[in-house]
Amino acid sequence: MSIQTIGVIGAGQMGNGIAHVMALAGYDVLMTDISQEALDAALAGIDGNMARQVSRGKIAEADMTAAMKRIGTTLALSDLGASDLVIEAATERESVKQAIFEDLQPHLQPHTILTSNTSSISITRLASRTDRPERFMGFHFMNPVPVMQLVELIRGIATDEPTYTACREVVDRLGKTAASAEDFPGFIVNRILMPMINEAVYTLYEGVGNVQSIDQSMKLGANHPMGPLELADFIGLDTCLAIMNVLHDGLADTKYRPCPLLTKYVEAGWLGRKTQRGFYDYRGEVPVPTR
């Protein structure tokens, strides 16, 4: 099938990034959220990010103008039912995602493909709660969406080949690279990345190194662009903890046990950049390690 219209559920950092790249690729996008403020903020964010791309010569101003005109917003989830492809990018909680798909289902076209941007939740389980498990799959973008080149495409047990092919064609049109992953906890990227971050937190917890020495060691010793604790703050410590819990619960292996210090930071509400404090304190001009 030919996908022309895209519905995006959630206007947060991931949702607005997805709307951004889809509109630039020529798709008509309709984005929804539970508040008008969130939608307005998302549009302003997309406009600012595209303007930055124009200033750097990445895109033409005419392309930006055309792309912004392709993005619509609505507070009514049902309006997304007419889309060819729906990408859910709501909070990383399974109950929230299930409720969204349940509310949207009566309004869907027969051909509509449903996808989730989940970073770790079972695609098979999410799909089983809908009326179209064969037209459901994982569509996992990396953050920040306009910059990162990879998209994980995750088939559930029931996902059919035309659905996979249609989503793969969308990734190709975006100019990004698709990695096919099987539906096991964490998929590929987070199955490898999150245990590394968790081990960095254990290294801090056990006093092997402090925040600065751990991050410097991985940046200079392993040539990583960001240290693991800096990266955890960027992702969000609550998201890191949620993914570690999915790995631990789904694979039942003690090597995926979340570090107690990670849990403690989340309990404190120190979730990283989005709350101004995590492994670093971002309230001043320069981030300062908190341990």
Side-chain angles (χ1 to χ4, degrees):
M1 64 168 290
S2 175
I3 291 173
Q4 299 299 328
T5 56
I6 310 255
V8 178
I9 302 171
Q13 192 169 24
M14 295 304 294
N16 79 53
I18 293 166
H20 174 143
V21 298
M22 291 294 180
L24 271 180
Y27 293 104
D28 291 322
V29 180
L30 185 60
M31 182 168 50
T32 188
D33 205 290
I34 56 174
S35 78
Q36 189 61 48
E37 291 78 11
L39 291 171
D40 292 343
L43 283 177
I46 294 168
D47 189 79
N49 289 334
M50 283 192 191
R52 201 153 36 243
Q53 288 179 302
V54 170
S55 70
R56 293 173 181 169
K58 302 285 187 185
I59 62 173
E61 192 163 353
D63 292 337
M64 172 183 169
T65 302
M68 289 303 298
K69 287 179 180 176
R70 293 189 195 104
I71 302 173
T73 63
T74 179
L75 290 171
L77 180 64
S78 58
D79 289 346
L80 271 61
S83 306
D84 297 324
L85 169 67
V86 173
I87 303 173
E88 171 273 316
T91 303
E92 190 69 354
R93 291 217 312 273
E94 188 166 349
S95 59
V96 171
K97 295 178 187 296
Q98 285 178 345
I100 287 169
F101 289 127
E102 190 175 306
D103 290 347
L104 181 61
Q105 193 167 288
H107 310 284
L108 294 172
Q109 301 300 308
H111 70 272
T112 301
I113 293 174
L114 290 179
T115 67
S116 176
N117 184 57
T118 179
S119 53
S120 61
I121 296 168
S122 168
I123 297 302
T124 298
R125 198 162 60 237
L126 286 173
S128 72
R129 302 289 292 271
T130 74
D131 65 346
R132 60 196 66 212
E134 71 286 350
R135 287 193 298 284
F136 192 110
M137 68 182 299
F139 210 131
H140 181 214
F141 288 86
M142 306 296 127
N143 184 31
V145 179
V147 175
M148 301 295 278
Q149 288 301 302
L150 187 75
V151 180
E152 283 184 314
L153 292 179
I154 306 102
R155 290 183 178 95
I157 282 181
T159 306
D160 64 22
E161 194 60 32
T163 296
Y164 172 80
T165 301
C167 290
R168 179 69 185 256
E169 287 171 356
V170 171
V171 176
D172 291 344
R173 184 163 155 183
L174 295 177
K176 295 187 182 294
T177 300
S180 297
E182 294 302 314
D183 184 26
F184 291 100
F187 316 133
I188 295 172
V189 173
N190 283 320
R191 173 75 177 266
I192 298 167
L193 175 64
M194 285 302 159
M196 184 198 77
I197 287 175
N198 194 51
E199 195 61 29
V201 184
Y202 266 115
T203 306
L204 179 65
Y205 175 63
E206 293 167 5
V208 179
N210 59 27
V211 168
Q212 187 174 22
S213 63
I214 291 166
D215 276 353
Q216 276 186 341
S217 294
M218 294 308 293
K219 283 194 283 190
L220 303 179
N223 206 28
H224 289 190
M226 295 174 74
L229 301 175
E230 181 186 6
L231 179 56
D233 276 357
F234 180 76
I235 294 167
L237 304 193
D238 52 338
T239 301
C240 294
L241 179 60
I243 296 170
M244 285 309 302
N245 280 325
V246 166
L247 290 170
H248 191 233
D249 294 345
L251 299 168
D253 192 323
T254 55
K255 72 180 180 181
Y256 299 113
R257 182 171 67 97
C259 180
L261 183 60
L262 178 60
T263 303
K264 196 61 63 182
Y265 268 75
V266 173
E267 287 174 346
W270 291 19
L271 308 181
R273 285 181 176 270
K274 61 187 172 186
T275 60
Q276 296 293 296
R277 278 193 292 187
F279 292 114
Y280 292 85
D281 188 325
Y282 300 92
R283 293 174 297 176
E285 288 185 16
V286 178
V288 178
T290 54
R291 288 180 85 86

